[in-house]
């Protein structure tokens, strides 16, 4: 998962650069590193894993004296990284993370305008081995432990 997070960070930054979105590099880095942390039992609070990850980020970042605005942006990026519609109105970081996660999870089938050669080079530098097995394991745990929360990853009440 660490490599997935690193690839997502690189993809998000490249997407933002190509679209001329002004993003905060530290916010996107922290959001990319923490975007799936809510899947893991040590970070889970039994809720929707994206919300759990956002709550953890809020707590951690307050302790590091981040501004309220930056904390909100980072937490929104984590919480909304599986939204089905554009999140650009919430900030470039939020939309860049959402698209980057889709690109990485699709193995580059989705590119949202990124060059496939650039993605292949990234995948050679930061290998994808183990990603699907890890995601399958953690999602299976979530299905078993908190099945009613999974649809809320995509559809909010």
């Amino acid at each position: 998962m660490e490599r997935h997070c690193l690839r997502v960070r690189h993809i998000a930054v490249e997407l933002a650069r190509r679209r001329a979105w002004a993003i905060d590099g530290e916010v996107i880095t922290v959001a990319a590193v923490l975007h799936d942390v809510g899947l893991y039992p040590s970070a889970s609070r039994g809720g929707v894993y994206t919300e759990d990850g956002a709550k953890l980020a809020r707590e951690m970042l307050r302790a590091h004296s981040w501004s309220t605005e930056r904390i909100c942006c980072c937490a929104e990026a984590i919480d909304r990284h599986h939204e089905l519609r554009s999140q650009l109105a919430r900030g470039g970081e939020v939309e860049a993370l959402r698209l980057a996660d889709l690109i990485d999870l699709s193995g580059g089938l989705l590119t949202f305008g990124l060059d496939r050669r650039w993605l292949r080079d990234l995948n050679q530098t930061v290998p994808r081995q183990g990603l699907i097995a890890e995601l399958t394991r953690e999602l299976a745990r979530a299905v078993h432990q908190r099945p009613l929360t999974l649809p809320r990853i995509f559809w909010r009440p």
Side-chain angles (χ1 to χ4, degrees):
M1 284 301 279
E2 296 88 0
R3 290 190 309 259
H4 166 62
C5 295
L6 182 57
R7 282 189 308 276
V8 166
R9 189 260 179 213
H10 284 295
I11 293 167
V13 168
E14 183 66 9
L15 283 166
R17 184 187 71 75
R18 289 179 184 229
R19 287 170 167 75
W21 294 340
I23 62 167
D24 182 319
E26 189 175 30
V27 168
I28 198 67
T29 299
V30 172
V33 168
L34 295 178
H35 79 278
D36 284 332
V37 73
L39 278 170
Y40 293 91
S42 59
S44 173
R45 294 164 182 190
V48 178
Y49 92 85
T50 55
E51 290 176 9
D52 288 352
K55 287 176 189 172
L56 178 66
R58 282 185 184 95
E59 292 167 7
M60 288 175 49
L61 298 173
R62 264 189 226 110
H64 290 282
S65 302
W66 276 35
S67 71
T68 302
E69 180 180 293
R70 292 177 80 220
I71 292 170
C72 183
C73 182
C74 187
E76 286 283 298
I78 294 166
D79 190 22
R80 298 190 174 272
H81 78 271
H82 285 303
E83 290 288 329
L84 299 175
R85 290 185 173 34
S86 174
Q87 299 297 301
L88 189 55
R90 297 178 188 281
E93 297 87 352
V94 181
E95 181 64 0
L97 186 74
R98 185 184 79 84
L99 295 176
D101 190 57
L102 280 168
I103 291 169
D104 195 53
L105 291 177
S106 78
L109 292 174
L110 299 173
T111 65
F112 298 107
L114 291 184
D115 185 288
R116 288 187 195 282
R117 284 177 294 174
W118 184 90
L119 289 167
R120 276 193 300 272
D121 289 346
L122 176 62
N123 289 336
Q124 287 180 341
T125 304
V126 186
R128 294 177 48 80
Q129 289 99 335
L131 173 63
I132 300 306
E134 179 72 10
L135 282 175
T136 301
R137 186 173 33 259
E138 293 309 320
L139 284 171
R141 183 193 331 256
V143 166
H144 178 71
Q145 293 177 348
R146 45 190 165 154
L148 298 178
T149 69
L150 293 180
R152 291 182 19 223
I153 294 166
F154 303 101
W155 295 285
R156 295 171 184 271

